[in-house]
Amino acid sequence: MAENEAPDTKRGRSYPEIIKQFNSLNAKILAVVLVGCLVGYHGILRFKDGSDTCQGLLTKGRYQGNNLWQPYGCMIHSLSRIDANNCLRKTRFQTGEDSHWAFIGDSRIRQLYFEILKLVDPEAEPSVIVKDIYGNNLDQLLIDVPFRVSAIATEQTNVYSRPLEKAHSSLTYNNSELSFRMTFFWRPIFNQSAVDLIHQLGLSKSVPNVVIAGSGAWDIKLSNGSDAVLDVYESNLEQVAKAANNWPNRNSKLLWKLQDPVDSSKLSEQRQVISNDLIDEYNEIALRVFQHSRFQIWKSARLVTEGMVTADDGLHLNAVTLKHHVQMLMNMYCNERMGFDDGTCCRSAESATTLQVVTFTILLVCLTISSTWMAYRSFDLRLKQRRQSYRSIENLMEADETEEIVKDVMANGHAVQADSLGLDDKTSTRKAAVKDVESNSRIVVTALGKLGLIMAYFYLCDRTTFFMKENKYYSHLNFWVPIGYVFALGFFFHEESRSTKVLHRDQTDEWKGWMQLVILIYHMTGASQVIPLYMQMRVLVSSYLFLTGFGHLSFFWNGGSASFPRLFQVLFRMNLMTVVICLCMNRPYQSYYFVPLVSFWYLVVYIVLALPPKVSSAICEANPVAYLYIIIKLCSLLAAITILYMSEVFFQAIFLVRPWKALFVTSNDEIHEWWFRWSLDRYSICYGMIFGLLYLNAQKFGLIDDSARHHLLSRTRIRFLVVVAALLGLGGYTAFTITCHSKPKCNEVHSYLAFLPIVSFIVLRNVFGPLRVRYSSFFAWFGKISLELFIGQYHVWLAADTHGVLVLIPNYPVLNVMVTTYILVCVAHEVHTITGQLVPLAVPADWKKTLRNVILFFLALVPIAIHDGMF
């Protein structure tokens, strides 16, 4: 926002009704009612099916695109080999026990066994467990003697000439480094041998943490598809369920994998009897038998397979399907231990800290006081209305007149009216002061109460498992359709501004508005994987910093005040919501990187321009040497930034100093995130200041004229060349983003080229008079709450600190986006209003009172700082 212009008090036309409604109380009440209904809806869902994130992972889901699986209501993390190994090591560290996984079944279960082995240890070869001379299985000896493999194992080449993945034998794998044991028990048919195995596993010294079992295809093949075997199959499963229910260890996870469909056209002649109809019958038996047993039906594995083609033999699973199955199992086992940011499946809610409890208690007290006062005021108003029916009209008029006089005395202290009421000046002043304190206290308590209600919703959405969360999914359609829709609305609602200046307030609000909406869509769709889009978003963030430098330099250049209160008023506006969220959501300040970034660069601009020798337009006009001062200041700032960038050690020596270290490190006590964000846009603030200085002086010396509604440049040829240069600037940077294929390299060049698309856009937006004076009221309205939108999206639009998407209405993604967007906009607007109410009270115009409040604020932070080790 350009600081050199006062906000317009009147406009040529009012905002469109669709935007004005957000300023009304009705829109906010509707948002509250909507949230209440959604809370009740999710409560009914949980009561009805007892669903949790783990059940959603193992029972439901859908495909996003061709090969991306989305579990129902939770986020699945894609575990790498490093993630899996760290999970196993951490399990040993936390529990003191080895991880033991057991697989029981036929060749399709064996496929899953080998796929997990490829993830954990790709070069490993499990040992084959042979049978004795009588054909009896020796694999049960491994249950309590897991490392005595030599007595019961033999080399693969001595038993089978075909690959190990096709061996009809039990297998075992032990990794002492990872403290991980994985055994496959060959049981193609679940008969008494499988029942005995389940029973012995439950009573063993090393009870498996995870058991994956499944069978059915061999029963169909050996019985030639006879229905008579169905009763035997059901009886065997009942015995298996009974054995599993007797397990004394209740922490183990037992999964029954439903039989996957087959492709009859690919099946061999011996397997032609295996049909999908028979498979469905066998699965129905398993669903019925295991409904109330220790075995949980792994339904989502079957759903994944239905959306994929089978392997070449028509029976086994392809590689993509197996990878989905493995990721489900690893998420089930590892998410609780590892706490992945983008993995919420099978993960419990984060426990509240003492600081969160204290913060919410204070806000709850404010909400209670505010609600009580509102209820009392409503009751008192009704009581007065009843009393009025017993009064005469003359008494009422007299009472109203007296009340107006009292109000005037208390507000303005008029001596004449006070005398007429028999009040002296001291009494009137004292009563007015008391009334003022009461009014301010009421405003503060009410604002904090509303803020507490909003923060409670934030906490419910993103720090509990009450609402669902899903992974982001990018496609060109998902990204560009909402972009087109938003810009169609923006172009439809347009007005004519009263200002003709370059980057006037309406124009900068418009710019911030459409940039923020684009960033929201970019974050929701996960478009960061597309490098051209990623680089264009970097330009939008640079544009915010550019406008910060331009606006504040313009403010100081035109003689704006560099007072102590104004410094903290700006910082308060930018940081109120972020600080409250940090306290309520237990997140470090650096998690909301944009606010620390903008706040830091504003302080830099303030220090550079406010420190002597001060420079302004009037000073430079009186003494042209003052131009040299501002040039020296800007050059010194550029040099300091370059030195900090070139020396990371020097950078850390400055920003890792206590106590402000806590402002620049993440929860892992790392400064890399701040270094990355700072260095990425390190020159953007300088670009804005330099552009502002050139623009203001070009305007002063008559090189450009934006005082009227005509074109910025009078000469047609020069105007044409400038427009062509601006188009080349935008096109050149776009070409760079398309041809650059590495994010680190693109980021390195971006800091030097960021000014090119920004200045080009400013030129195209302002060079033509009719275009300069018109703006989109739709975008401008969103621009006024852009900061609140950016911070609010973390928890009530996106989820898991922007790693996923919040789901209020499952199975209806478009409707869900509409509802969450409406609530986000209402929340952002309300927080913006609350901030505006608190600014003059928290940071008064009197610098002494401001200093007092700042000291009190830092004193309140001392206990938090001591607890977090800032000192």
Side-chain angles (χ1 to χ4, degrees):
M1 178 190 303
E3 297 288 348
N4 58 328
E5 295 184 21
D8 294 336
T9 57
K10 296 182 180 180
R11 298 181 180 272
R13 283 189 291 166
S14 60
Y15 283 137
E17 288 298 323
I18 192 174
I19 296 178
K20 286 179 63 179
Q21 291 302 317
F22 279 99
N23 296 319
S24 67
L25 184 62
N26 294 333
K28 298 165 188 175
I29 292 176
L30 178 59
V32 173
V33 172
L34 190 59
V35 170
C37 294
L38 291 171
V39 170
Y41 172 68
H42 279 262
I44 293 172
L45 283 180
R46 289 185 175 275
F47 178 78
K48 181 180 179 181
D49 56 13
S51 62
D52 55 25
T53 56
C54 213
Q55 186 173 353
L57 172 69
L58 298 174
T59 58
K60 301 178 183 179
R62 69 182 189 279
Y63 274 107
Q64 288 185 333
N66 295 325
N67 297 323
L68 297 176
W69 179 255
Q70 173 59 62
Y72 178 75
C74 66
M75 297 165 56
I76 188 169
H77 173 76
S78 180
L79 279 86
S80 63
R81 179 186 177 185
I82 296 176
D83 292 334
N85 291 347
N86 289 338
C87 169
L88 297 173
R89 292 190 182 97
K90 194 169 184 178
T91 301
R92 174 66 180 180
F93 176 78
Q94 291 179 340
T95 64
E97 299 177 355
D98 296 346
S99 296
H100 181 195
W101 288 30
F103 295 78
I104 308 171
D106 54 14
S107 57
R108 293 204 271 194
I109 298 295
R110 185 180 59 212
Q111 272 191 296
L112 192 57
Y113 173 88
F114 275 101
E115 194 66 28
I116 292 180
L117 189 60
K118 289 177 184 178
L119 175 66
V120 176
D121 190 359
E123 299 177 358
E125 277 290 328
S127 300
V128 180
I129 306 172
V130 298
K131 301 179 179 179
D132 61 15
I133 58 176
Y134 302 105
N136 298 319
N137 288 316
L138 298 177
D139 51 21
Q140 296 188 27
L141 295 177
L142 283 179
I143 294 176
D144 285 327
V145 194
F147 299 106
R148 198 176 67 187
V149 180
S150 57
I152 55 177
T154 183
E155 294 294 332
Q156 171 196 346
T157 55
N158 294 335
V159 182
Y160 297 101
S161 59
R162 55 186 174 179
L164 191 61
E165 287 85 349
K166 296 182 179 181
H168 289 179
S169 293
S170 299
L171 307 168
T172 183
Y173 165 79
N174 294 303
N175 190 320
S176 57
E177 181 183 353
L178 299 176
S179 300
F180 182 50
R181 176 187 174 200
M182 194 164 63
T183 308
F184 168 68
F185 297 95
W186 173 255
R187 297 292 188 276
I189 298 176
F190 265 58
N191 49 24
Q192 188 60 41
S193 174
V195 175
D196 294 339
L197 176 63
I198 296 293
H199 180 72
Q200 292 184 27
L201 284 173
L203 299 178
S204 66
K205 298 177 182 178
S206 176
V207 180
N209 306 98
V210 178
V211 175
I212 300 99
S215 77
W218 276 68
D219 295 83
I220 298 174
K221 185 175 72 171
L222 295 180
S223 66
N224 199 27
S226 173
D227 292 338
V229 182
L230 291 174
D231 294 334
V232 178
Y233 180 78
E234 183 173 0
S235 177
N236 290 335
L237 292 192
E238 288 175 351
Q239 294 298 317
V240 169
K242 184 178 180 180
N245 290 338
N246 293 329
W247 274 35
N249 188 346
R250 295 293 173 179
N251 295 325
S252 299
K253 195 79 172 180
L254 281 69
L255 302 180
W256 181 267
K257 187 175 184 294
L258 296 177
Q259 291 296 291
D260 300 304
V262 298
D263 187 348
S264 301
S265 62
K266 298 180 181 179
L267 292 176
S268 63
E269 184 177 352
Q270 295 177 342
R271 295 172 175 168
Q272 282 293 329
V273 68
I274 304 176
S275 66
N276 288 325
D277 291 336
L278 285 173
I279 286 177
D280 290 340
E281 291 186 35
Y282 276 74
N283 284 337
E284 289 177 3
I285 293 174
L287 289 169
R288 184 170 61 252
V289 171
F290 293 124
Q291 184 177 5
H292 301 292
S293 73
R294 282 294 308 279
F295 270 102
Q296 181 177 356
I297 301 296
W298 187 8
K299 299 178 182 178
S300 57
R302 165 72 186 240
L303 297 177
V304 169
T305 310
E306 289 177 348
M308 288 288 181
V309 296
T310 61
D312 294 336
D313 60 2
L315 176 68
H316 294 94
L317 308 179
N318 62 22
V320 175
T321 304
L322 287 171
K323 289 184 185 300
H324 286 315
H325 290 173
V326 168
Q327 290 298 331
M328 288 182 192
L329 293 176
M330 295 305 295
N331 272 260
M332 178 194 70
Y333 190 71
C334 294
N335 282 355
E336 183 68 29
R337 297 168 173 82
M338 300 300 293
F340 299 115
D341 291 331
D342 59 343
T344 62
C345 296
C346 296
R347 183 177 171 187
S348 58
E350 182 179 295
S351 58
T353 63
T354 304
L355 180 59
Q356 288 176 284
V357 173
V358 171
T359 303
F360 274 111
T361 301
I362 295 173
L363 295 177
L364 178 61
V365 169
C366 293
L367 179 61
T368 304
I369 295 174
S370 175
S371 302
T372 303
W373 174 79
M374 291 180 64
Y376 169 76
R377 186 179 180 183
S378 176
F379 174 78
D380 186 59
L381 181 61
R382 291 182 180 180
L383 187 61
K384 287 182 178 180
Q385 289 176 347
R386 289 184 178 181
R387 290 177 178 177
Q388 285 179 356
S389 61
Y390 301 104
R391 295 180 182 178
S392 62
I393 298 177
E394 293 80 9
N395 292 336
L396 286 177
M397 294 178 61
E398 182 179 353
D400 291 338
E401 182 179 357
T402 303
E403 186 178 356
E404 290 296 326
I405 295 174
V406 172
K407 288 182 179 179
D408 195 22
V409 171
M410 291 182 177
N412 305 307
H414 292 295
V416 175
Q417 293 179 346
D419 291 340
S420 65
L421 292 171
L423 302 175
D424 56 24
D425 293 339
K426 290 184 177 181
T427 304
S428 301
T429 304
R430 190 182 303 112
K431 288 187 176 182
V434 171
K435 187 70 174 179
D436 188 52
V437 171
E438 290 179 354
S439 177
N440 292 341
S441 301
R442 192 173 296 159
I443 292 174
V444 171
V445 171
T446 302
L448 292 179
K450 292 179 180 178
L451 201 57
L453 192 61
I454 293 172
M455 290 300 107
Y457 176 67
F458 274 54
Y459 187 89
L460 182 66
C461 287
D462 209 25
R463 287 298 171 267
T464 67
T465 59
F466 189 82
F467 287 124
M468 301 177 183
K469 305 169 181 63
E470 291 186 353
N471 295 91
K472 297 178 182 179
Y473 165 63
Y474 175 80
S475 70
H476 296 307
L477 188 67
N478 283 353
F479 180 79
W480 290 109
V481 167
I483 289 289
Y485 178 74
V486 164
F487 275 92
L489 285 175
F491 291 143
F492 181 78
F493 298 115
H494 59 85
E495 295 184 14
E496 188 168 327
S497 175
R498 297 181 60 187
S499 177
T500 62
K501 302 294 183 183
V502 172
L503 293 180
H504 53 80
R505 178 163 183 167
D506 290 328
Q507 190 180 123
T508 53
D509 283 343
E510 174 201 80
W511 193 359
K512 291 178 181 179
W514 70 257
M515 286 195 302
Q516 184 55 61
L517 294 177
V518 170
I519 289 174
L520 289 176
I521 297 171
Y522 168 82
H523 284 164
M524 171 165 276
T525 56
S528 59
Q529 59 185 288
V530 183
I531 293 182
L533 295 179
Y534 167 81
M535 294 308 300
Q536 295 293 348
M537 294 308 112
R538 300 279 64 78
V539 173
L540 299 188
V541 176
S542 298
S543 300
Y544 276 97
L545 297 176
F546 183 96
L547 288 175
T548 299
F550 171 83
H552 291 300
L553 182 131
S554 301
F555 178 81
F556 283 102
W557 185 262
N558 291 323
S561 171
S563 63
F564 185 70
R566 184 182 184 276
L567 168 66
F568 283 96
Q569 283 177 355
V570 176
L571 291 177
F572 185 88
R573 283 183 179 276
M574 291 191 293
N575 287 272
L576 173 64
M577 184 180 184
T578 304
V579 171
V580 174
I581 289 180
C582 287
L583 297 176
C584 292
M585 307 298 286
N586 190 29
R587 283 299 176 268
Y589 182 61
Q590 196 56 226
S591 298
Y592 311 92
Y593 74 91
F594 183 71
V595 173
L597 197 65
V598 176
S599 300
F600 170 79
W601 285 119
Y602 168 70
L603 278 173
V604 170
V605 173
Y606 181 88
I607 292 172
V608 169
L609 297 179
L611 287 180
K614 295 183 179 180
V615 181
S616 66
S617 177
I619 295 175
C620 290
E621 188 173 354
N623 183 15
V625 179
Y627 281 108
L628 181 61
Y629 299 154
I630 189 65
I631 293 174
I632 292 175
K633 286 187 175 186
L634 291 175
C635 291
S636 300
L637 177 59
L638 288 168
I641 293 172
T642 304
I643 293 172
L644 279 176
Y645 176 74
M646 294 177 64
S647 175
E648 192 167 350
V649 175
F650 186 37
F651 181 89
Q652 294 182 1
I654 292 177
F655 291 106
L656 289 181
V657 175
R658 298 178 187 274
W660 58 74
K661 169 188 174 181
L663 300 176
F664 303 106
V665 296
T666 61
S667 55
N668 297 324
D669 203 36
E670 295 180 353
I671 201 172
H672 174 74
E673 181 69 18
W674 171 246
W675 162 258
F676 170 72
R677 299 294 181 182
W678 179 90
S679 61
L680 192 61
D681 296 302
R682 59 187 180 274
Y683 295 123
S684 297
I685 203 81
C686 298
Y687 295 148
M689 296 172 69
I690 294 171
F691 178 84
L693 185 64
L694 294 176
Y695 156 71
L696 292 171
N697 283 279
Q699 184 187 53
K700 177 180 178 181
F701 292 107
L703 299 179
I704 60 174
D705 184 12
D706 58 359
S707 60
R709 300 177 182 270
H710 49 65
H711 299 314
L712 195 64
L713 300 171
S714 57
R715 296 186 179 181
T716 305
R717 179 174 297 180
I718 296 177
R719 187 167 62 249
F720 174 77
L721 293 175
V722 168
V723 170
V724 171
L727 291 174
L728 290 176
L730 286 175
Y733 187 85
T734 302
F736 157 71
T737 62
I738 295 174
T739 57
C740 184
H741 302 293
S742 171
K743 280 187 179 181
K745 293 181 179 179
C746 294
N747 290 335
E748 180 62 31
V749 179
H750 164 77
S751 59
Y752 301 104
L753 296 181
F755 75 94
L756 193 60
I758 297 173
V759 175
S760 299
F761 172 79
I762 293 174
V763 169
L764 294 176
R765 184 69 178 83
N766 291 275
V767 70
F768 299 106
L771 185 61
R772 186 172 68 252
V773 297
R774 298 202 68 83
Y775 74 100
S776 169
S777 56
F778 179 82
F779 288 142
W781 188 88
F782 282 100
K784 296 179 186 298
I785 59 173
S786 59
L787 184 65
E788 290 79 9
L789 286 172
F790 188 91
I791 303 304
Q793 68 169 323
Y794 277 70
H795 305 294
V796 297
W797 201 60
L798 304 177
D801 301 319
T802 73
H803 291 93
V805 176
L806 179 67
V807 178
L808 301 181
I809 305 178
N811 301 324
Y812 297 93
V814 176
L815 180 60
N816 179 72
V817 171
M818 294 173 62
V819 172
T820 55
T821 302
Y822 179 81
I823 295 175
L824 171 65
V825 172
C826 289
V827 166
H829 184 270
E830 184 63 25
V831 173
H832 180 77
T833 303
I834 291 172
T835 305
Q837 293 172 347
L838 294 179
V839 165
L841 302 178
V843 189
D846 186 354
W847 70 272
K848 294 181 180 179
K849 294 181 179 180
T850 297
L851 182 61
R852 176 203 61 193
N853 291 352
V854 170
I855 293 174
L856 292 176
F857 173 74
F858 281 107
L859 288 177
L861 290 180
V862 168
I864 302 174
I866 294 175
H867 180 269
D868 292 341
M870 292 174 61
F871 295 112

